[in-house]
Amino acid sequence: MKKNNILIIFILIGIIASSILAINRVRIEGDNKTVDITLDYNDIIKFAEQTEEGLSWWLKKFKDLGVNSVTINEDTFESMMEDQKPLEVKMVGNIIREIGWRDKYPQPLVNYIDESGRDKYDLVVVTDSESLFQLLKVRMDERYDENKYKLFNTENQFIIILDGTEKEALYSKTTLIDENNKFYSDLRELTGSKLMRLGLGFDKDTIELIKDSGLEVVLRPCNNNPNWIDEKYIKAYFKEHEKHNIVPKYMIFSSNEIIGYPDKTGVLREHLLANKMKVVLIETEVQRGVIEQEGIIGLTKDLNYEAIRLFSMVPYIQERYKFYNYEGAEEIENTLYRAVTERNIRLIFFRPFKENKTDYVTDYQEYERTFNSFKERIAEHNMSLGDASTMRYNQVSLIYKILIGFGLFGGGMLLLGIIFKINERLNKILIILGALLCIITPYVIPNMSEILYSLAAAIIFPSLSMAYFCKLMKSYSLENKVWKLKEIIFIGVKTLLIMVLITSIGALFVASLLSGIDYLLEIDIFRGVKFAQLIPIFLYLVVFLVYFGFRREKTTENEIKISEVKDILYLNIKVITVIVGIVALAVGYIYIARTGHETNIQPSNLEMIARNFLELKLLARPRTKEFLLAFPAVILAAYMIRYKSNLAIFVLGIIITIGQTSIVNTFCHLRTPLYLSIIRTFYGVLFGVLLGIIYTGLLVLVTKISKKMRGELLNE
């Protein structure tokens, strides 16, 4: 008992330390309650073209609904051609392939091509509009090194030549086949350059139109050609805000890296600090982590994590109109609601709804209903629309890691003592060494220790709860008495509640250890989730052998016997056992694969409809496998002590283990506010108890009917 008391003290130390961290995390999350919505200008203009009201009318209406701003991209040669500007773009490589090209093109251009050695990767921009040429000249001069481009003009043509390289070249690919339809070769042809998307500033008329509607403007820099970006471009970008009297709020990068990466990020940082701009981290399409953009994590850290998570309404989200048998955009609304309440999203990149890939939903009432419902639902979480809020900086100190390490060591030693018989002397040695290790580890590997500790917490405490389950079921099954139904239900409910409390210690440790800002913004992710779901199942099998053994007669012995392990290894396996095993493996694969968003195995439509219903009616939707199967299984297992059925308890125990690991898994979703995970688990237990009682009642009813049909006496 003394050694257990010491270990329990260690666990209590860990609980106290993690509770302090958890309270601090709740406060941080509680201050992060304002959500902003910005429109994508490119999408909204296409949408407005399909309506009778026009762009200006829709911008004002979206403003009334709660939209705060419109995000616009820089002009490029490509976008100007799409806007029907008098502009033509060609590659030098294509020009010199034309027969008689020297006679077709202006002499200044011919001379340049000859002098440059006919560099086929150079981009030639031609216009007959002097005003457009002058605009382009000013913008190029403001942004780029003058040695990278040349300007020419004749009486009726104006020419810009950009010094391109093979890195910017774009090709079209054609597969050649012979007369028998067999592959002959691939043909690659130079057709364009990434310089067609070179940033050329922002359209003044577009900005004025947006501002006249009462909406703010978010200028999104173009970074498709990082070799052209230097300090000159960065300064020009920030001058655009002054030129158009815009107070900048957010920095939303495009492409795969931030502007100025890698040499000029310091210049960018100084401008962001001076303008008090927040960096935007774009969530991936699978809704896990953030899109990789070179330099953005370092920049975020340099700005003391003044960052916002953005959810972009990608096309497949836009097209969820009348999805899951809804009458309108309810499923799109659900998606937005989950993004802000469950994933710390504070900026929504909004695009209008679509009936299909080409046709937009143009009914204003549908947008009004969606926005009003969305605002009402997030208000239940004390959230509102406005300028996007940020979370204050937070990191877990070494002292807290050490204290929680003591708690983990205490839990781990308890589990070890259940599986193996450890003598008093060895136990003392392990306690001394373990305590020293808890102190040293956070100093030696500070970042890795929080991951290792979290993984340990996710494994140890669900396994301890299953050890408690096995011990309790064993003790009750050894009692020589007839259990009444109300006694069984009481035992089942009590066992479930205590098991949830034991597992919740592990959940608390994970939620507090990984409460640093990197995890809350999902810059870092706890990647041991699937591993933490599998190991406790294996440990449950071991613990079950400790208490129940294999074909063990009634005995109070609680230890693994080598003879029983041999019996298992040399067991004659029947075909039906193999079939059951294959089915079990398939179910296990689906269980693991469905964890997260990176899998093709997704819930059925019926399950999603049920989930959405619970989500609409409750503050947090409980996890299906918990309340529907795993938690009721504890009460069903208690019912099995009436029949002394070790096999039934064993099978139900596997299901119960899945539920216990699921509790910790809920708290491993670190972007989800802590209070929401607690409420989700509470609902899961509440519904699990109710369903467990119902399942048990149905089992009793079926048993009585079965006995009556067989003519047996009913004595229950």
Side-chain angles (χ1 to χ4, degrees), residues 694-716:
I694 293 171
Y695 292 169
T696 304
L698 290 173
L699 185 58
V700 170
L701 181 62
V702 169
T703 304
K704 285 184 177 181
I705 293 172
S706 177
K707 285 185 176 182
K708 188 174 182 180
M709 291 177 66
R710 295 198 303 267
E712 297 180 17
L713 293 175
L714 300 177
N715 56 3
E716 298 188 9

Side-chain angles (χ1 to χ4, degrees), residues 360-605:
Y360 288 93
V361 176
T362 58
D363 182 4
Y364 171 73
Q365 291 183 343
E366 187 58 42
Y367 292 96
E368 185 178 40
R369 185 212 63 77
T370 301
F371 273 80
N372 289 339
S373 177
F374 173 73
K375 286 183 283 188
E376 289 174 4
R377 291 175 69 182
I378 66 172
E380 295 177 0
H381 297 264
N382 296 320
M383 301 174 75
S384 59
L385 298 184
D387 291 342
S389 57
T390 58
M391 287 184 284
R392 61 181 168 84
Y393 177 80
N394 181 59
Q395 292 294 352
V396 178
S397 66
L398 288 175
I399 185 63
Y400 281 106
K401 292 178 186 178
I402 292 171
L403 295 175
I404 294 173
F406 283 133
L408 289 168
F409 174 71
M413 283 294 293
L414 284 178
L415 184 61
L416 197 66
I418 291 169
I419 298 174
F420 302 103
K421 299 302 178 184
I422 304 174
N423 62 50
E424 192 69 28
R425 183 181 177 184
L426 179 59
N427 188 74
K428 288 179 180 178
I429 294 172
L430 290 176
I431 288 176
I432 294 171
L433 292 176
L436 290 173
L437 194 64
C438 291
I439 296 171
I440 294 171
T441 302
Y443 282 99
V444 177
I445 46 172
N447 294 328
M448 184 61 70
S449 64
E450 59 192 23
I451 297 294
L452 294 175
Y453 282 3
S454 297
L455 183 60
I459 293 172
I460 290 170
F461 288 95
S463 299
L464 278 175
S465 74
M466 292 311 300
Y468 171 78
F469 166 79
C470 289
K471 181 179 179 180
L472 209 62
M473 292 300 105
K474 170 73 175 292
S475 64
Y476 284 128
S477 65
L478 290 177
E479 291 189 28
N480 191 20
K481 64 174 288 187
V482 178
W483 295 96
K484 295 180 181 179
L485 184 59
K486 63 180 181 181
E487 291 177 321
I488 286 171
I489 291 174
F490 175 77
I491 290 171
V493 173
K494 181 189 74 170
T495 303
L496 172 61
L497 293 178
I498 294 175
M499 289 178 69
V500 169
L501 286 175
I502 294 171
T503 300
S504 294
I505 296 172
L508 177 63
F509 284 2
V510 173
S512 57
L513 276 167
L514 303 182
S515 61
I517 190 68
D518 296 84
Y519 293 102
L520 300 186
L521 289 174
E522 215 167 25
I523 293 171
D524 283 338
I525 298 173
F526 177 50
R527 303 183 186 277
V529 172
K530 294 187 189 318
F531 191 70
Q533 289 175 311
L534 286 173
I535 299 302
I537 295 175
F538 170 76
L539 289 175
Y540 162 69
L541 302 180
V542 175
V543 170
F544 188 87
L545 276 178
V546 169
Y547 286 101
F548 290 92
F550 179 70
R551 294 175 178 173
R552 187 183 298 175
E553 298 295 329
K554 276 189 177 183
T555 176
T556 56
E557 290 180 304
N558 294 325
E559 61 179 329
I560 295 178
K561 295 184 177 181
I562 301 299
S563 59
E564 291 177 346
V565 175
K566 287 182 178 179
D567 289 342
I568 294 173
L569 293 175
Y570 290 102
L571 188 65
N572 291 323
I573 300 175
K574 298 179 180 179
V575 174
I576 186 65
T577 306
V578 175
I579 294 173
V580 171
I582 293 172
V583 172
L585 286 174
V587 172
Y589 170 76
I590 293 171
Y591 159 64
I592 294 298
R594 273 186 46 168
T595 302
H597 297 270
E598 302 91 338
T599 173
N600 292 326
I601 301 176
Q602 295 297 328
S604 65
N605 286 358

Side-chain angles (χ1 to χ4, degrees), residues 137-271:
K137 180 182 181 304
V138 170
R139 292 186 176 182
M140 293 285 291
D141 290 343
E142 287 176 342
R143 285 165 175 76
Y144 302 112
D145 182 352
E146 60 184 13
N147 296 318
K148 286 181 174 289
Y149 60 92
K150 300 292 182 182
L151 304 173
F152 302 106
N153 65 282
T154 62
E155 291 183 3
N156 54 7
Q157 282 188 324
F158 303 90
I159 304 168
I160 303 174
I161 304 174
L162 290 81
D163 184 15
T165 65
E166 188 174 7
K167 289 183 178 180
E168 288 107 19
L170 298 172
Y171 300 89
S172 61
K173 185 178 178 181
T174 305
T175 300
L176 302 180
I177 56 175
D178 63 17
E179 61 180 358
N180 296 317
N181 206 34
K182 291 184 178 180
F183 172 79
Y184 179 74
S185 68
D186 284 329
L187 181 65
R188 193 175 74 156
E189 185 175 352
L190 180 67
T191 55
S193 171
K194 294 178 184 177
L195 295 176
M196 294 168 61
R197 293 185 177 178
L198 193 69
L200 299 171
F202 300 89
D203 183 67
K204 178 182 177 182
D205 294 337
T206 300
I207 292 173
E208 292 303 319
L209 174 66
I210 294 168
K211 293 175 72 174
D212 289 344
S213 68
L215 290 164
E216 298 177 3
V217 179
V218 177
L219 303 179
R220 191 174 187 183
C222 187
N223 194 36
N224 293 296
N225 297 277
N227 291 334
W228 283 62
I229 305 297
D230 58 16
E231 186 173 347
K232 191 175 183 181
Y233 173 88
I234 295 171
K235 290 181 177 179
Y237 166 75
F238 284 97
K239 284 181 181 177
E240 289 277 5
H241 295 89
E242 299 176 15
K243 185 190 304 182
H244 300 291
N245 196 27
I246 296 171
V247 179
K249 293 181 181 177
Y250 314 125
M251 189 66 163
I252 309 176
F253 297 104
S254 58
S255 190
N256 298 320
E257 55 192 42
I258 65 174
I259 59 173
Y261 179 84
D263 299 327
K264 302 299 179 182
T265 54
V267 177
L268 175 64
R269 182 184 66 248
E270 295 305 316
H271 280 83

Side-chain angles (χ1 to χ4, degrees), residues 35 66 139 229 285 310 316 439 455 473 588 650 670:
V35 182
R139 292 186 176 182
I229 305 297
E285 285 194 26
L310 176 143
Y316 82 88
I439 296 171
L455 183 60
M473 292 300 105
F650 170 73
L670 302 165

